[in-house]
């Protein structure tokens, strides 16, 4: 069964450093998403991406965050200057039909120290 | 801003019995609801969904009930199996152009053999 692949599975970074989280969505999917889950909290929407541009973003997704689909297969989330509160599990998802067909990756656990 | 609430953080049932997981929502614009199941170190996996035009949707051992007037939905698992032990997330979306899912905090289900 097709799956969404995220790398790395765990990333430790120093506060203030830039970090790039990588995702390979399912190949025929057109919609791409990032969500995050702070430990013990709910899964929160960050951003959706369609047709090479952001289609929707949450209040969390401020100027420190950016997304890119650099080569037609990868989908990346960049955090420019990480803060302690960015520590969370970050999930990438892709879909071929919006909310009706999400597939989530296994997540990247980001730890900011 | 808890638009989707799962008030029971945990639920324990015996194998073979019914598991009932509950979810309440406050946003009357939500018109599509989903249940996801999540094992540790994995991403959420889609389980079952329901549109607001229905009040019940069934898929094998899983049934979701929607009570729009009460803004309440529930997931029934019959019979429960030990492999069903996981965290279950309720999610909602409004189909008017938004692709984002709003999640509850999750309920950890434990099915005891």
């Amino acid at each position: 069964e097709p799956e969404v692949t995220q790398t790395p599975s765990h990333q430790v970074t120093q506060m203030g450093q830039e970090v790039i989280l990588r995702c390979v969505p399912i190949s025929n999917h057109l919609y791409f998403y990032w969500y995050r889950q702070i430990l013990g909290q709910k899964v929160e929407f960050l951003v959706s991406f369609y047709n090479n541009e952001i289609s929707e973003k949450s209040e969390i997704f401020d100027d420190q965050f950016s997304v890119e689909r650099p080569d037609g297969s990868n989908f990346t989330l960049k955090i420019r200057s990480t803060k302690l509160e960015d520590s969370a599990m970050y999930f990438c998802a892709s879909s071929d039909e919006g909310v009706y067909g999400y597939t989530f990756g296994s997540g990247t656990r980001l730890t900011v120290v | 801003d808890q638009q989707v609430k799962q008030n029971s953080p945990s639920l324990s049932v015996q194998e073979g019995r019914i598991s009932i997981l509950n979810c309440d929502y406050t946003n009357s614009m939500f018109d599509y609801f989903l249940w996801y199941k999540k094992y540790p170190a994995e991403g959420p996996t889609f389980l079952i969904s329901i549109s607001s035009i229905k009040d019940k949707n069934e898929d094998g051992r899983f049934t979701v009930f929607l009570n729009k007037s009460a803004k309440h939905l529930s997931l029934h698992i019959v019979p429960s199996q030990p492999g069903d032990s996981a965290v279950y997330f309720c999610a909602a979306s409004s189909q008017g152009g938004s692709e984002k899912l709003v999640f509850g905090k999750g309920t950890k289900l434990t099915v005891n053999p």
Side-chain angles (χ1 to χ4, degrees), chain A residues 38-105:
Chain A
I38 295 170
L39 188 64
Q41 303 296 315
K42 61 183 179 178
V43 177
E44 299 174 288
F45 170 80
L46 291 177
V47 66
S48 59
F49 191 87
Y50 171 74
N51 201 24
N52 282 320
E53 59 182 26
I54 290 173
S55 47
E56 191 172 357
K57 61 182 181 179
S58 72
E59 296 167 353
I60 303 167
F61 195 88
D62 61 21
D63 291 344
Q64 292 299 311
F65 291 86
S66 62
V67 289
E68 202 176 35
R69 190 156 157 79
D71 56 12
S73 61
N74 290 285
F75 179 51
T76 61
L77 174 70
K78 183 194 287 187
I79 309 175
R80 287 190 183 83
S81 178
T82 48
K83 307 184 191 94
L84 294 175
E85 55 264 36
D86 293 327
S87 295
M89 183 73 94
Y90 287 80
F91 293 105
C92 173
S94 69
S95 171
D96 58 353
E97 46 181 349
V99 297
Y100 306 107
Y102 268 58
T103 300
F104 283 89

Side-chain angles (χ1 to χ4, degrees), chain A residues 31 33 35 37 40-43 45 48 50 55-56 91 98-100 102 104-107, chain B residues 1-2 32 34 36 38 41-44 46 89 93 95 97-101 103-105:
Chain A
Y31 301 85
Y33 311 89
Y35 284 77
Q37 185 183 25
Q41 303 296 315
K42 61 183 179 178
V43 177
F45 170 80
S48 59
Y50 171 74
S55 47
E56 191 172 357
F91 293 105
V99 297
Y100 306 107
Y102 268 58
F104 283 89
S106 298
Chain B
D1 177 23
Q2 278 195 280
Y32 190 69
L34 310 92
Y36 282 84
K38 185 182 178 305
E42 293 184 13
F46 172 74
F89 291 97
S93 79
Q95 295 178 54
S98 174
E99 301 157 24
K100 73 177 185 185
L101 296 178
F103 282 85
K105 285 191 174 183

Side-chain angles (χ1 to χ4, degrees), chain B residues 42-60:
Chain B
E42 293 184 13
T45 303
F46 172 74
L47 202 54
I48 193 169
S49 63
I50 189 166
S51 166
S52 60
I53 62 173
K54 294 186 169 186
D55 53 21
K56 176 182 173 182
N57 189 25
E58 195 170 351
D59 183 2

Side-chain angles (χ1 to χ4, degrees), chain B residues 61-78:
Chain B
R61 297 185 297 114
F62 302 92
T63 304
V64 55
F65 295 92
L66 175 63
N67 181 335
K68 279 194 302 182
S69 60
K71 294 193 176 70
H72 176 84
L73 61 154
S74 60
L75 174 69
H76 292 210
I77 306 173
V78 182

